[in-house]
Amino acid sequence: MSIVDKDPAQAINEIQQRFEKAGYICDRHIATSIYLSQKLDKPILVEGPPGVGKTELAKATAELMDADLVRLQCYEGLDESKALYEWKYGKQLLYTQILKEKLGDLLEDAQGIDASMEKLHGFSDQFFSHDFLEARPLLQALTAENQTVLLIDEIDKSDHEFEAYLLEILSDYQITVPEIGTIKAKHKPVVFLTSNNSREMGDALKRRCLHLYIPFPDADREREIIKARVPEIDEKLRNQLVSFVQQLRTQDLKKLPAVSETIDWARTLMLLHADNLDTEMVRNTLNMLLKFEDDIDNMDSEVPKMVTAALKDARR
Amino acid sequence: MSRPLAEFVDMLRHADVPVSIGEAIDAARTIELLGYEDRSLLKGALSQVMAKTEDEMASFDQCFDDFFKIETNLDLGGNLQEQLGDEGSDNGDGPEGSAPQDALDDLQNDMGPQNGEGGGSGGGSGQCEDQPSAEGQGTPSLIDMLESGDRTALTMAMNEAADEVGLGNIVLSTQRGLFTRRIMEAMGLNDVTQEVRDRRNQGEDESADELDRRLNILFEATRDMVDRQLALTAEGKSLEFRQDVLKKVRLSNIETRDFKIMRDLVRKMAKRLTDMNSRVKKVKNRGHLDIRKTMRRNVAYDGILFETHWKQKEKDRPKVMAVCDVSGSVASVARFLLLFLYSMNEVLPNVRSFAFSGDLGEITDLLKDNGPEEAVPAAIDKYGGRSTDYGRAMQDFKDLVFDEIDNRTTVIILGDGRSNGSDPGTDILKDIKKRAKRVIWLNPERKSLWGSGDSEMDRIAPYCTVADTCNSLNKLELVIRDLLKSN
């Protein structure tokens, strides 16, 4: 990306603008992060509460850079055979059978066992070569011909062992397959790791990454986001609903509503042809924002108060 | 790496942000890229490079603000200084707000017309080029510097002197006077006082007073610098110091204000322990070749052994059930025992926690859903405050989870075993021990007190795999480590 060769402040502004154009509203902090990761060749570890757009950031970056997005979803028990590479056993098997059939022809001129073995050794190395290597997401990202964005999603769900596998990629953009050797990236992918902090990441991993924390957006930013994502919504209603969600986030809830939920809610209200927030409608659609029955019950009595406040807030 | 950055890194490390060498290099590159002009941009960028958790981020923000408020005279480039100068005067009162320069500025302004070109170079643009040249000329004496009001030279001399006497080592506020004096002496205080005396003797009272006045301004600037350095390092150092102490001190003696530090300590400890545990697990996992299964699997491949099958042990996930006494007799310790439970919950997947004084109840969800600051008092509030009844608690525990205890379960009971004379429920404990992998009883009381008064430890201990005293963090760690090792 050529933007980053410009003057830093300008480049960062431009990144921010391009994101905006791509429908991802971000603050300067995030743009700085993208800029730095390009300049320092560093992966970005993105943390923050669920639903603030961590995964979206990677997707938007891919779009912005016109790069392919390779996504690896992490889970407990994920290992290198699913993330890095695997051998194509079937193909290897086929290969041996061909070898077996051709064995007579191949060994025709060899005299004695020693010479035959010597000759066979020449073929055995073929077994573990690139031809039999099944690339999984990480290897795909490294070997891709074009620029890629590698998204390692919810890294906190994986095990400690897997985290250690990643270290080589994260620091040197290469992986080592014992049977073949080291495979270096053709184009260094832009790497995002996301985490909801369900477990603390290791120091070694953190050291290799830039650390970006995305909090819930403030009211202004959230209005912009809604404007970009649900453009058809009326400005008045937009202000009201953002104000309502912002109030909701200050409440004592099991799960606070995220940006993605605000967007869903905005769309729902559009479907209902709403012009203004009103208590009854909010009550009926509260399940778009809150995902626990307890939370919904607890908020029920608060809704009228918050709706009034939201209406007042939007008028200002 | 430039000196200010090195100092900043040092400061961060003191403030519990462990900046590695690699990160420091990245930081240097970042500064190179962005420059110092846009401070908020630089702050945002550096925070991403150097701070890796939310807690660290908070420390970083604090440090950055402090540092760039203070280190105005270092070779950070001109614009920044002006910016900082402005800011200094914006919020500029109190020892934090005003840089040493403010005092020195006074000095310079006082010089009025006579400061000549010296003032020009010092007037807020003390660029890095100035420094080597000034050094090259050989350091002028303090008297000259004071006479000419050369701000740049003075601040430089002040910094050099501060280095010389090791100002970075200041830890205690009582050292302030000492360090101020030492710095002044290193700058040539004696010569100046001598000079003042000489002038007085020669009847040049006016110039003597003037010099004395300027010396006082310098003195105040130096004291400001010492104060700031103290604010920088002392906080961090005392944290390290406090942590060290906290590890050894009896749990009952720890004050509430140390709760947060304690929490971090406990969390680190719990993490270390579980990391160790997972390594042990890994070794066990390898197993050996299962010939039968391997053969059967490879029938399809004409008996060529493509897929090997290894006899593996089941992945051993320790199940832990922890029961914590939160009654009055252990109230002072209970908070930390609960804190420990909380941390175990964070690092081990299968911990179920229970609390009791009279009735016993499960607090797993409570710990899971809340931060320790809320969860721990809530647990004490809910289950504490009643008179201890171990028999009842045992019965409740049995009713709740007896069926779920199996030979992989470790039961940890944290309590003093003082049951107010009622039956401690040893027969239930016996049943539990039979079913569970092991039962560990951790008692905050010393062993010599066991069995005295209403303590039932002598009756309880035979039905535990381990029964031990546990009254400090270090001890707690040892016990748990043994537990995980024997896993």
Side-chain angles (χ1 to χ4, degrees):
Chain A
M1 192 162 63
S2 58
I3 313 176
V4 295
D5 296 327
K6 294 180 187 161
D7 173 64
Q10 199 191 337
I12 289 167
N13 282 339
E14 199 168 329
I15 291 174
Q16 206 176 341
Q17 282 159 14
R18 284 218 200 168
F19 268 126
E20 218 155 291
K21 240 177 253 165
Y24 186 88
I25 308 296
C26 69
D27 56 17
R28 198 132 180 263
H29 198 60
I30 296 175
T32 311
S33 195
I34 304 286
Y35 174 79
L36 276 183
S37 82
Q38 295 284 302
K39 278 296 194 183
L40 302 179
D41 273 341
K42 290 225 151 205
I44 306 176
L45 173 62
V46 195
E47 287 190 309
V52 289
K54 300 188 291 291
T55 308
E56 282 303 314
L57 175 64
K59 287 187 194 163
T61 310
E63 202 179 310
L64 185 126
M65 295 176 63
D66 198 19
D68 295 330
L69 180 73
V70 180
R71 180 170 176 173
L72 175 68
Q73 176 67 45
C74 296
Y75 52 87
E76 205 175 329
L78 178 70
D79 58 11
E80 82 270 38
S81 69
K82 302 210 178 66
L84 275 173
Y85 65 90
E86 173 87 289
W87 292 106
K88 294 177 182 167
Y89 294 119
K91 205 170 162 191
Q92 281 176 333
L93 182 69
L94 215 59
Y95 176 76
T96 42
Q97 291 203 326
I98 296 168
L99 198 65
K100 209 161 119 189
E101 280 162 20
K102 298 279 177 200
L103 209 56
D105 306 341
L106 289 171
L107 299 181
E108 220 170 2
D109 52 343
Q111 299 289 318
I113 292 198
D114 284 348
S116 309
M117 284 307 282
E118 189 108 333
K119 201 137 196 202
L120 263 182
H121 276 308
F123 298 104
S124 61
D125 288 346
Q126 298 266 318
F127 254 121
F128 294 104
S129 65
H130 285 280
D131 294 339
F132 295 104
L133 201 59
E134 179 90 66
R136 301 286 190 215
L138 295 183
L139 191 57
Q140 278 169 17
L142 289 187
T143 51
E145 293 296 336
N146 303 316
Q147 176 75 54
T148 51
V149 171
L150 172 62
L151 167 63
I152 302 174
D153 215 3
E154 303 190 52
I155 173 75
D156 53 328
K157 300 273 192 305
S158 70
D159 309 311
H160 287 282
E161 291 89 347
F162 181 70
E163 209 183 301
Y165 282 129
L166 282 180
L167 296 182
E168 192 182 357
I169 290 197
L170 295 182
S171 57
D172 298 325
Y173 296 99
Q174 65 175 42
I175 49 174
T176 304
V177 178
E179 293 89 345
I180 293 178
T182 304
I183 300 173
K184 264 194 170 310
K186 287 180 181 150
H187 297 274
K188 284 181 185 168
V190 183
V191 184
F192 289 90
L193 300 106
T194 71
S195 158
N196 289 332
N197 225 346
S198 70
R199 90 179 154 81
E200 184 94 342
M201 306 312 300
D203 285 344
L205 183 111
K206 282 195 209 149
R207 234 182 11 243
R208 283 167 172 78
C209 303
L210 296 174
H211 186 263
L212 174 65
Y213 182 82
I214 308 185
F216 286 122
D218 58 16
D220 288 342
R221 177 101 33 220
E222 190 157 26
R223 275 194 285 272
E224 280 178 52
I225 295 172
I226 299 297
K227 193 176 170 186
R229 299 301 290 270
V230 194
E232 63 274 21
I233 195 166
D234 178 56
E235 187 183 340
K236 190 178 62 181
L237 181 59
R238 184 170 68 226
N239 293 349
Q240 288 169 2
L241 80 91
V242 168
S243 163
F244 183 83
V245 172
Q246 291 276 338
Q247 287 179 63
L248 212 49
R249 289 209 188 104
T250 62
Q251 303 290 315
D252 181 22
L253 296 169
K254 265 189 183 172
K255 188 192 167 300
L256 296 175
V259 184
S260 53
E261 276 134 21
T262 316
I263 295 171
D264 288 346
W265 196 42
R267 292 204 172 115
T268 312
L269 294 184
M270 287 312 296
L271 283 178
L272 296 172
H273 301 292
D275 303 318
N276 275 306
L277 286 192
D278 73 69
T279 312
E280 205 42 45
M281 187 175 59
V282 172
R283 278 209 176 113
N284 288 335
T285 53
L286 207 54
N287 57 351
M288 298 302 297
L289 292 170
L290 302 176
K291 306 294 172 179
F292 285 95
E293 201 55 44
D294 284 358
D295 284 349
I296 296 178
D297 287 348
N298 289 339
M299 282 304 110
D300 202 55
S301 57
E302 301 288 320
V303 166
K305 212 164 58 192
M306 280 158 62
V307 168
T308 320
L311 293 176
K312 209 170 118 199
D313 195 31
R315 233 174 282 140
R316 266 193 282 123
Chain B
M1 191 163 60
S2 63
R3 204 187 87 166
L5 178 60
E7 278 175 3
F8 184 48
V9 168
D10 205 34
M11 177 177 174
L12 284 173
R13 285 181 186 154
H14 278 309
D16 250 16
V17 182
V19 181
S20 69
I21 295 173
E23 282 159 356
I25 294 172
D26 286 340
R29 286 182 62 193
T30 308
I31 293 174
E32 212 173 279
L33 277 172
L34 303 178
Y36 288 96
E37 284 79 17
D38 188 339
R39 195 149 66 112
S40 70
L41 176 69
L42 183 67
K43 183 177 175 181
L46 282 183
S47 78
Q48 293 181 20
V49 175
M50 296 165 108
K52 307 282 156 130
T53 64
E54 274 179 80
D55 288 349
E56 287 177 21
M57 207 72 93
S59 301
F60 176 90
D61 283 353
Q62 184 63 45
C63 284
F64 188 91
D65 292 343
D66 284 352
F67 185 84
F68 284 94
K69 212 175 268 173
I70 296 153
E71 301 290 322
T72 45
N73 54 318
L74 294 165
D75 52 336
L76 300 180
N79 286 333
L80 179 69
Q81 284 198 346
E82 280 163 28
Q83 209 176 323
L84 293 177
D86 291 342
E87 241 166 64
S89 56
D90 281 343
N91 57 5
D93 52 351
E96 300 298 336
S98 60
Q101 277 62 44
D102 292 357
L104 291 172
D105 275 340
D106 290 347
L107 185 65
Q108 204 164 36
N109 296 337
D110 286 342
M111 296 310 142
Q114 48 172 305
N115 65 354
E117 54 160 2
S121 70
S125 69
Q127 280 156 356
C128 38
E129 295 91 344
D130 287 359
Q131 294 199 2
S133 66
E135 271 165 18
Q137 288 160 12
T139 335
S141 78
L142 183 60
I143 303 169
D144 294 343
M145 288 191 274
L146 283 174
E147 289 274 301
S148 65
D150 186 345
R151 203 188 77 151
T152 316
L154 278 172
T155 36
M156 263 175 52
M158 225 159 80
N159 273 306
E160 266 168 36
D163 269 0
E164 211 171 291
V165 301
L167 182 60
N169 297 324
I170 190 167
V171 181
L172 301 169
S173 56
T174 46
Q175 293 173 303
R176 263 188 305 201
L178 178 74
F179 272 101
T180 311
R181 180 130 205 113
R182 277 196 195 156
I183 292 172
M184 292 291 283
E185 275 169 9
M187 285 171 77
L189 176 67
N190 288 339
D191 295 346
V192 182
T193 44
Q194 185 62 43
E195 175 74 18
V196 172
R197 223 174 297 141
D198 286 352
R199 286 186 190 180
R200 287 242 160 82
N201 288 341
Q202 289 161 19
E204 297 170 17
D205 275 352
E206 204 175 307
S207 76
D209 284 350
E210 178 60 23
L211 188 61
D212 197 31
R213 195 181 62 79
R214 291 180 189 183
L215 185 65
N216 275 333
I217 294 176
L218 179 68
F219 186 73
E220 273 183 15
T222 312
R223 209 175 47 201
D224 276 357
M225 181 171 79
V226 172
D227 275 353
R228 262 176 216 103
Q229 183 66 41
L230 182 70
L232 288 189
T233 47
E235 181 88 346
K237 277 194 186 149
S238 65
L239 179 67
E240 271 170 44
F241 181 70
R242 287 229 300 274
Q243 281 194 345
D244 257 10
V245 174
L246 282 176
K247 271 188 214 164
K248 286 170 207 146
V249 83
R250 301 235 339 233
L251 290 173
S252 51
N253 295 335
I254 293 172
E255 289 174 50
T256 322
R257 75 187 173 90
D258 289 324
F259 195 79
K260 192 178 169 305
I261 305 180
M262 198 68 175
R263 184 197 161 193
D264 292 345
L265 275 178
V266 170
R267 181 192 266 170
K268 270 185 199 155
M269 182 176 108
K271 171 145 179 13
R272 202 163 55 235
L273 290 171
T274 41
D275 279 0
M276 200 178 74
N277 184 37
S278 71
R279 272 201 294 282
V280 175
K281 217 164 61 189
K282 190 78 189 164
V283 174
K284 277 196 177 162
N285 256 342
R286 236 164 261 155
H288 40 190
L289 187 68
D290 186 334
I291 305 275
R292 257 199 295 178
K293 274 196 181 153
T294 307
M295 297 286 269
R296 194 177 313 149
R297 274 199 187 183
N298 290 296
V299 167
Y301 308 139
D302 270 0
I304 299 168
L305 303 183
F306 270 119
E307 277 179 56
T308 51
H309 192 271
W310 301 85
K311 266 185 201 162
Q312 279 174 334
K313 289 197 174 163
E314 281 280 296
K315 205 167 193 183
D316 190 13
R317 298 228 166 216
K319 279 209 291 192
V320 177
M321 293 195 184
V323 184
C324 187
D325 180 351
V326 291
S327 65
S329 54
V330 283
S332 55
V333 193
R335 275 190 308 135
F336 294 103
L337 296 180
L338 281 171
L339 187 59
F340 184 73
L341 280 194
Y342 183 87
S343 307
M344 283 220 298
N345 252 311
E346 281 186 306
V347 288
L348 273 176
N350 293 321
V351 182
R352 292 183 65 183
S353 316
F354 305 85
F356 73 96
S357 53
D359 300 314
L360 175 142
E362 182 157 3
I363 53 172
T364 315
D365 289 340
L366 184 69
L367 296 184
K368 209 177 275 172
D369 296 338
N370 298 290
E373 283 81 3
E374 301 96 54
V376 169
I380 294 180
D381 203 38
K382 195 164 176 195
Y383 295 102
R386 271 151 284 182
S387 76
T388 331
D389 186 341
Y390 274 81
R392 177 134 175 229
M394 283 294 165
Q395 187 59 50
D396 284 349
F397 184 61
K398 186 178 172 179
D399 293 346
L400 266 175
V401 292
F402 192 66
D403 294 339
E404 292 168 49
I405 296 177
D406 58 26
N407 59 7
R408 290 191 295 138
T409 312
T410 298
V411 179
I412 302 176
I413 301 167
L414 305 156
D416 62 357
R418 293 192 181 270
S419 192
N420 283 329
S422 64
D423 176 44
T426 40
D427 49 332
I428 302 176
L429 190 62
K430 191 172 158 191
D431 290 343
I432 292 175
K433 194 196 169 194
K434 261 189 213 156
R435 277 186 84 120
K437 182 166 184 177
R438 68 194 141 212
V439 176
I440 297 169
W441 196 293
L442 300 176
N443 190 331
E445 283 184 359
R446 271 173 290 138
K447 269 204 173 135
S448 56
L449 292 174
W450 291 13
S452 72
D454 60 351
S455 169
E456 303 285 353
M457 279 313 287
D458 289 345
R459 285 170 67 190
I460 289 168
Y463 300 113
C464 302
T465 325
V466 186
D468 210 341
T469 306
C470 175
N471 53 14
S472 73
L473 264 192
N474 275 347
K475 186 71 190 167
L476 196 59
E477 178 167 13
L478 281 178
V479 173
I480 305 290
R481 174 177 297 174
D482 285 348
L483 180 156
L484 291 172
K485 258 190 200 155
S486 59
N487 201 22

